[in-house]
Short mmCIF file of all heavy atoms in Angstrom, two decimals:
data_model
loop_
_atom_site.label_atom_id
_atom_site.label_comp_id
_atom_site.label_asym_id
_atom_site.label_seq_id
_atom_site.Cartn_x
_atom_site.Cartn_y
_atom_site.Cartn_z
N THR B 26 -106.85 46.85 -40.66
CA THR B 26 -108.06 47.15 -39.91
C THR B 26 -107.98 46.79 -38.43
O THR B 26 -108.68 47.38 -37.62
CB THR B 26 -109.26 46.39 -40.51
OG1 THR B 26 -108.97 44.99 -40.53
CG2 THR B 26 -109.53 46.86 -41.94
N ASN B 27 -107.11 45.84 -38.10
CA ASN B 27 -107.11 45.31 -36.74
C ASN B 27 -105.99 45.95 -35.92
O ASN B 27 -104.81 45.78 -36.22
CB ASN B 27 -106.91 43.79 -36.80
CG ASN B 27 -107.11 43.12 -35.45
OD1 ASN B 27 -107.03 43.75 -34.41
ND2 ASN B 27 -107.37 41.83 -35.48
N SER B 28 -106.36 46.67 -34.88
CA SER B 28 -105.36 47.36 -34.06
C SER B 28 -104.53 46.40 -33.21
O SER B 28 -103.57 46.80 -32.58
CB SER B 28 -106.04 48.39 -33.16
OG SER B 28 -107.00 47.75 -32.34
N MET B 29 -104.90 45.13 -33.21
CA MET B 29 -104.13 44.14 -32.45
C MET B 29 -102.86 43.72 -33.17
O MET B 29 -101.97 43.13 -32.58
CB MET B 29 -104.98 42.90 -32.18
CG MET B 29 -106.21 43.17 -31.33
SD MET B 29 -105.78 43.83 -29.71
CE MET B 29 -105.03 42.40 -28.96
N PHE B 30 -102.77 44.00 -34.45
CA PHE B 30 -101.54 43.68 -35.17
C PHE B 30 -100.40 44.48 -34.56
O PHE B 30 -100.54 45.67 -34.29
CB PHE B 30 -101.66 44.02 -36.66
CG PHE B 30 -102.62 43.14 -37.40
CD1 PHE B 30 -103.55 43.70 -38.26
CD2 PHE B 30 -102.58 41.76 -37.29
CE1 PHE B 30 -104.44 42.90 -38.97
CE2 PHE B 30 -103.46 40.95 -37.98
CZ PHE B 30 -104.40 41.53 -38.83
N ASP B 31 -99.26 43.84 -34.38
CA ASP B 31 -98.16 44.58 -33.75
C ASP B 31 -96.82 44.38 -34.45
O ASP B 31 -95.79 44.79 -33.92
CB ASP B 31 -98.05 44.22 -32.26
CG ASP B 31 -97.85 42.74 -32.03
OD1 ASP B 31 -97.68 42.00 -33.02
OD2 ASP B 31 -97.85 42.32 -30.86
N TYR B 32 -96.86 43.78 -35.62
CA TYR B 32 -95.61 43.60 -36.35
C TYR B 32 -95.94 43.70 -37.82
O TYR B 32 -96.89 43.09 -38.29
CB TYR B 32 -95.01 42.24 -36.01
CG TYR B 32 -93.54 42.11 -36.34
CD1 TYR B 32 -92.58 42.78 -35.61
CD2 TYR B 32 -93.11 41.29 -37.37
CE1 TYR B 32 -91.23 42.66 -35.90
CE2 TYR B 32 -91.77 41.16 -37.67
CZ TYR B 32 -90.84 41.84 -36.93
OH TYR B 32 -89.51 41.71 -37.22
N PHE B 33 -95.11 44.45 -38.55
CA PHE B 33 -95.45 44.81 -39.92
C PHE B 33 -94.23 44.60 -40.81
O PHE B 33 -93.12 44.98 -40.44
CB PHE B 33 -95.92 46.27 -39.98
CG PHE B 33 -97.02 46.57 -38.99
CD1 PHE B 33 -96.71 46.94 -37.70
CD2 PHE B 33 -98.35 46.43 -39.35
CE1 PHE B 33 -97.71 47.19 -36.77
CE2 PHE B 33 -99.36 46.68 -38.44
CZ PHE B 33 -99.04 47.06 -37.14
N LEU B 34 -94.46 44.01 -41.96
CA LEU B 34 -93.35 43.65 -42.83
C LEU B 34 -93.66 44.02 -44.27
O LEU B 34 -94.82 44.11 -44.67
CB LEU B 34 -93.08 42.13 -42.78
CG LEU B 34 -92.94 41.47 -41.41
CD1 LEU B 34 -94.29 40.96 -40.90
CD2 LEU B 34 -91.97 40.31 -41.49
N TRP B 35 -92.61 44.18 -45.04
CA TRP B 35 -92.73 44.32 -46.48
C TRP B 35 -91.92 43.22 -47.15
O TRP B 35 -90.78 42.94 -46.76
CB TRP B 35 -92.22 45.68 -46.96
CG TRP B 35 -93.16 46.80 -46.68
CD1 TRP B 35 -93.15 47.64 -45.61
CD2 TRP B 35 -94.26 47.22 -47.50
NE1 TRP B 35 -94.18 48.55 -45.69
CE2 TRP B 35 -94.87 48.32 -46.85
CE3 TRP B 35 -94.80 46.79 -48.71
CZ2 TRP B 35 -95.98 48.99 -47.37
CZ3 TRP B 35 -95.89 47.44 -49.23
CH2 TRP B 35 -96.48 48.53 -48.57
N TYR B 36 -92.55 42.60 -48.16
CA TYR B 36 -91.89 41.58 -48.96
C TYR B 36 -91.88 42.05 -50.41
O TYR B 36 -92.78 42.76 -50.87
CB TYR B 36 -92.65 40.25 -48.88
CG TYR B 36 -92.40 39.45 -47.63
CD1 TYR B 36 -93.07 39.75 -46.44
CD2 TYR B 36 -91.51 38.38 -47.63
CE1 TYR B 36 -92.85 39.01 -45.29
CE2 TYR B 36 -91.28 37.63 -46.48
CZ TYR B 36 -91.95 37.95 -45.33
OH TYR B 36 -91.75 37.21 -44.19
N LYS B 37 -90.88 41.59 -51.11
CA LYS B 37 -90.71 41.90 -52.53
C LYS B 37 -90.79 40.59 -53.29
O LYS B 37 -90.24 39.58 -52.85
CB LYS B 37 -89.34 42.56 -52.70
CG LYS B 37 -88.94 42.92 -54.09
CD LYS B 37 -87.55 43.57 -54.00
CE LYS B 37 -87.01 43.94 -55.34
NZ LYS B 37 -85.67 44.57 -55.23
#
Side-chain angles (χ1 to χ4, degrees):
Chain B
T26 57
N27 189 339
S28 58
M29 297 300 290
F30 291 134
D31 58 6
Y32 199 71
F33 308 87
L34 309 91
W35 284 95
Y36 281 80
K37 177 179 179 180

